[in-house]
Amino acid sequence: MIKAVRGTRDLLPPDTALWNFVEAAARDVFRAYNFQEIRTPIFEETQLFSRSVGEETDIVSKEMFTWEDRGRAQSDKGQSLTLRPENTAGVVRAYVEHKLWERGLNKLYYIGPQFRRERPQKGRYRQFYQIGAEVIGPPTAGSESPARDAEIIELLATFLDRLGIAGWNLELNSVGCPNDRASFNEALRKALRPVVSKMCADCQRRAVTNPLRVFDCKVPEDQPIIAKLPRISQFLDEPCRKHFRELQGILNSVGVPFAINDRLVRGLDYYTRTAFEFTHGALGAQNAVLGGGRYDGLSESLGGPSAPGIGFAIGEDRLVMSLKESAEPVLRRPDVYIAPLGPGMNREAARLARELRRHDLVVELGDESFRLKKSFETATRVGAKFTLIVGENEVKADSFAVKNLETGEQVSVRRQELVARIQSDR
Ligand code: AMP
């Protein structure tokens, strides 16, 4: 038997209804904040990710699905391509490629699969789904302002509240700008020098190439050492401090609670200033539902103009998981099961089904070969509210037996009153 590949999974009904519910709610919220949808390709040139996410990050150094694409001729050297491990790089590439600033497109959202070769476990998959958004634009459009950061974070709080996800926590930090980063890296290197030989192989490498990434380390034995390292908060310059203070001021003013976590650096190199994560207690070890941050230099590093930006990515798999326990059933049951009774009745039933569906009723259709008992059993199994019987007598009288499967009550309803009758009891 061929099975789904490790780390991938089939999303089946009724769960898919929950996924659609989440995506519909996201689209509603995005509309209210005037975001528009963008869909970028699932694979891109590998260097897009190595240049933006960063060579030394876990994503680029270990987790990408990369292959050498064949050239046109046998002798051509192929192009290195990669399944997208995240979507911000793709959105910013599209922003630069299509000069989206000229069209005033600066608030974009996406929904789609991402791919990382991680060790699969509950809440961590190799194909997973993200719902994300980016605010990006020229500095003259106010894209650098802490008001943008606050709006994005407030949007997220609104979205989680609307889904009824109680008990989320927001952790907030500022990771500073390139200036701060240089002196911070210097201090980190110095602090790491006497202790790094006791750390894991990854950290020993990071200490040389990109010391900030030491904070991504998950090895338990390294944690006491990491806890004693200098914090980025001590190295922020005055403009970065001010930006962070203003963001906090707006969040306080709109009543979005947060906690400062000055060890939060997020595992992607492009972040500057604001970095944040929403966690949820019910998720266990993989408790980060979503993460985001500011990336003021990303457009320039991809050959574009200065375009400060901020965005986030929600892990949709984890969001659905945290909803599963609390969510109201979102699956719409069939309103009516149509039971054709006897030869020739499939035609009549199909006509009726077409009519009722045009009025937005959910209709399940049986078959004329079924006995009445089997029809009722099937109607009950699919969860229909009514069974509508279509036999020769009914067609002649243009009036149909409608049985309410919850109360057991059965009445005869004229064709032109069917829709109103079924809708009134919905
Ligand atoms: P990141 O792009 O790493 O900032 O991740 C943003 C969010 O995507 C995380 O908070 C997770 O909810 C989700 N996520 C990241 N990696 C995975 C994965 N392998 N499986 C499931 N969800 C993931």
Side-chain angles (χ1 to χ4, degrees):
M1 187 185 28
I2 300 176
K3 292 185 173 175
V5 174
R6 197 169 124 82
T8 72
R9 58 200 185 126
D10 301 306
L11 305 174
L12 304 172
D15 284 3
T16 39
L18 210 49
W19 284 73
N20 284 327
F21 167 72
V22 164
E23 290 170 17
R27 288 179 199 280
D28 273 356
V29 171
F30 286 135
R31 197 171 306 124
Y33 288 74
N34 198 29
F35 280 78
Q36 289 176 278
E37 185 175 6
I38 183 167
R39 300 189 190 196
T40 65
I42 296 230
F43 57 89
E44 301 261 8
E45 276 190 51
T46 302
Q47 56 161 337
L48 172 66
F49 305 113
S50 46
R51 271 165 55 181
S52 56
V53 176
E55 293 279 3
E56 202 45 60
T57 57
D58 282 351
I59 294 178
V60 172
S61 66
K62 306 182 206 167
E63 296 169 358
M64 296 206 300
F65 289 95
T66 296
W67 72 98
E68 200 71 28
D69 203 35
R70 238 179 297 158
R72 282 217 193 122
Q74 284 275 315
S75 55
D76 277 1
K77 202 175 142 22
Q79 193 181 19
S80 180
L81 301 177
T82 292
L83 291 182
R84 64 184 188 199
E86 58 93 60
N87 219 152
T88 300
V91 172
V92 177
R93 183 213 28 81
Y95 175 84
V96 174
E97 181 174 339
H98 306 291
K99 298 190 170 63
L100 294 186
W101 60 92
E102 288 182 355
R103 305 187 211 175
L105 289 175
N106 68 329
K107 292 164 92 175
L108 300 163
Y109 79 88
Y110 59 83
I111 299 178
Q114 318 293 337
F115 305 85
R116 296 182 195 172
R117 191 184 274 107
E118 294 195 84
R119 201 169 52 77
Q121 61 183 88
K122 186 167 178 263
R124 201 203 274 163
Y125 310 98
R126 292 184 165 184
Q127 172 172 340
F128 60 100
Y129 294 79
Q130 287 187 334
I131 301 174
E134 317 290 349
V135 182
I136 180 169
T140 47
S143 55
E144 225 167 346
S145 164
R148 301 287 81 75
D149 308 45
E151 192 180 13
I152 277 273
I153 291 171
E154 191 269 325
L155 175 157
L156 285 163
T158 298
F159 176 54
L160 295 180
D161 288 346
R162 184 173 297 189
L163 288 180
I165 294 189
W168 51 261
N169 295 301
L170 163 60
E171 294 186 8
L172 198 60
N173 195 20
S174 173
V175 296
C177 50
N179 278 342
D180 314 329
R181 201 69 62 76
S183 48
F184 181 51
N185 277 341
E186 196 45 49
L188 272 182
R189 281 206 176 89
K190 207 164 140 208
L192 282 165
R193 216 164 287 142
V195 289
V196 74
S197 61
K198 299 192 200 90
M199 300 182 82
C200 69
D202 279 344
C203 282
Q204 301 200 9
R205 202 187 59 245
R206 290 164 176 150
V208 181
T209 53
N210 190 350
L212 187 69
R213 297 272 67 94
V214 165
F215 288 98
D216 298 337
C217 177
K218 304 274 172 346
V219 176
E221 295 77 31
D222 288 1
Q223 298 312 310
I225 301 177
I226 293 168
K228 293 204 193 84
L229 293 174
R231 307 294 167 91
I232 182 82
S233 52
Q234 300 154 344
F235 293 83
L236 299 184
D237 64 13
E238 188 42 37
C240 287
R241 281 177 204 275
K242 183 161 175 273
H243 194 275
F244 197 33
R245 267 200 310 273
E246 285 178 17
L247 164 61
Q248 293 173 52
I250 305 175
L251 290 179
N252 284 329
S253 146
V254 293
V256 172
F258 61 88
I260 307 269
N261 172 2
D262 63 2
R263 287 185 55 190
L264 180 76
V265 297
R266 315 252 317 117
L268 301 94
D269 271 357
Y270 52 62
Y271 285 122
T272 53
R273 293 190 167 168
T274 311
F276 59 90
E277 224 160 64
F278 281 69
T279 58
H280 192 263
L283 287 177
Q286 304 299 318
N287 68 352
V289 186
L290 70 93
R294 183 162 269 290
Y295 44 81
D296 289 345
L298 184 53
S299 166
E300 282 146 304
S301 78
L302 296 176
S306 166
I310 178 158
F312 63 81
I314 305 172
E316 195 178 353
D317 304 74
R318 293 185 196 171
L319 192 64
V320 169
M321 236 158 77
S322 57
L323 258 183
K324 242 175 161 173
E325 278 117 63
S326 58
E328 303 265 299
V330 290
L331 196 60
R332 186 161 161 205
R333 291 160 50 196
D335 295 299
V336 56
Y337 178 91
I338 301 185
L341 209 60
M345 287 303 119
N346 272 347
R347 294 183 188 185
E348 298 295 335
R351 275 180 50 197
L352 267 173
R354 187 165 156 91
E355 237 171 84
L356 299 185
R357 285 172 177 148
R358 277 188 184 157
H359 286 88
D360 197 33
L361 291 172
V362 180
V363 178
E364 181 74 31
L365 198 49
D367 189 83
E368 63 188 26
S369 69
F370 293 179
R371 301 275 192 93
L372 195 55
K373 183 164 177 279
K374 180 168 174 182
S375 288
F376 278 124
E377 281 167 4
T378 317
T380 306
R381 185 168 45 75
V382 300
K385 282 164 236 163
F386 296 94
T387 301
L388 197 163
I389 297 159
V390 183
E392 220 168 305
N393 292 340
E394 279 84 358
V395 172
K396 267 195 206 128
D398 211 25
S399 196
F400 300 85
V402 174
K403 181 170 181 171
N404 183 325
L405 290 171
E406 276 153 25
T407 63
E409 180 203 13
Q410 183 168 320
V411 286
S412 183
V413 182
R414 299 178 57 76
R415 179 186 288 264
Q416 58 268 40
E417 283 152 20
L418 278 172
V419 171
R421 173 77 195 200
I422 292 167
Q423 274 173 344
S424 70
D425 277 297
R426 230 171 38 188

